[in-house]
Amino acid sequence: TQLLEQSPQFLSIQEGENLTVYCNSSSVFSSLQWYRQEPGEGPVLLVTVVTGGEVKKLKRLTFQFGDARKDSSLHITAAQPGDTGLYLCAGAPNAGKSTFGDGTTLTVKP
Amino acid sequence: DAGVIQSPRHEVTEMGQEVTLRCKPISGHNSLFWYRQTMMRGLELLIYFNNNVPIDDSGMPEDRFSAKMPNASFSTLKIQPSEPRDSAVYFCASSLLLAGGIEQFFGPGTRLTVL
């Protein structure tokens, strides 16, 4: 059983469209991280959300942590081909051991 | 600043051979993680160290896998003997363990192919 469920698994959209991907769990997390991984590279940390209800913005990316700290979402406005990649959420329900979701593979077509 | 350094980047070996993967974490980080990534199983945590001490190795597949961290700037993951099902990308990550969360910095990975 996957502790962090990500959806959708795959998403293919046209440049300029908006999208939202989700990271859900039945467990409470003290924080959640979002990473982006491009082919042939390691995951790169995008953001950490800590407080329930928190919203963080990174240019066209908006991250939200659920009020109960069990879920998170990533919204991308006006997607660009450079946004293509695998988006992973991660959290540590127990101190010191992070778990990763299976990720959402995003393809943005020019 | 140098990020996490892994070597080799690619390794092709034959079944039964010993494979050693190497990692140099970011200076000052006190935690180090070894992951394996495959299409079927995603990103799996194999083992992690805190202050050079193995804390949780429950993700290590079997006795053929072993990991060491002799000092704060170096870690190895060894597979002996290797099998075709070990083929995957192996990532090393390091972090500065803070209360309330872990932000990990990943290396570029080692792509292992066992024939």
Side-chain angles (χ1 to χ4, degrees), chain B residues 17-74:
Chain B
Q17 296 298 306
E18 177 180 296
V19 175
T20 299
L21 312 180
R22 297 173 176 80
C23 175
K24 178 178 171 55
I26 293 173
S27 177
H29 281 187
N30 61 0
S31 294
L32 183 141
F33 306 79
W34 281 102
Y35 291 89
R36 177 172 68 178
Q37 188 176 41
T38 61
M39 289 291 292
M40 291 296 294
R41 301 172 70 94
L43 195 62
E44 302 175 275
L45 177 64
L46 301 177
I47 184 171
Y48 80 94
F49 297 82
N50 190 34
N51 293 322
N52 312 336
V53 176
I55 303 300
D56 187 338
D57 65 354
S58 60
M60 296 285 262
E62 47 196 274
D63 292 346
R64 297 185 297 106
F65 286 68
S66 62
K68 294 181 179 179
M69 192 165 186
N71 57 63
S73 60
F74 184 66

Side-chain angles (χ1 to χ4, degrees), chain A residues 30-31 33 35 37 40-43 45 48 86 88 95-98 100 102, chain B residues 9 33 35 37 43 45 48 56 58 91 97 100-104 106-108:
Chain A
S30 57
S31 69
Q33 289 76 41
Y35 294 79
Q37 184 179 17
E41 299 181 7
L45 179 69
T48 295
L86 175 66
L88 296 159
K97 184 175 179 178
S98 262
F100 280 78
D102 283 341
Chain B
R9 291 295 310 274
F33 306 79
Y35 291 89
Q37 188 176 41
L43 195 62
L45 177 64
Y48 80 94
D56 187 338
S58 60
F91 288 103
L97 184 60
I102 299 173
E103 299 180 337
Q104 299 182 31
F106 284 76

Side-chain angles (χ1 to χ4, degrees), chain A residues 83-101:
Chain A
D83 296 326
T84 293
L86 175 66
Y87 288 81
L88 296 159
C89 67
N94 300 307
K97 184 175 179 178
S98 262
T99 185
F100 280 78

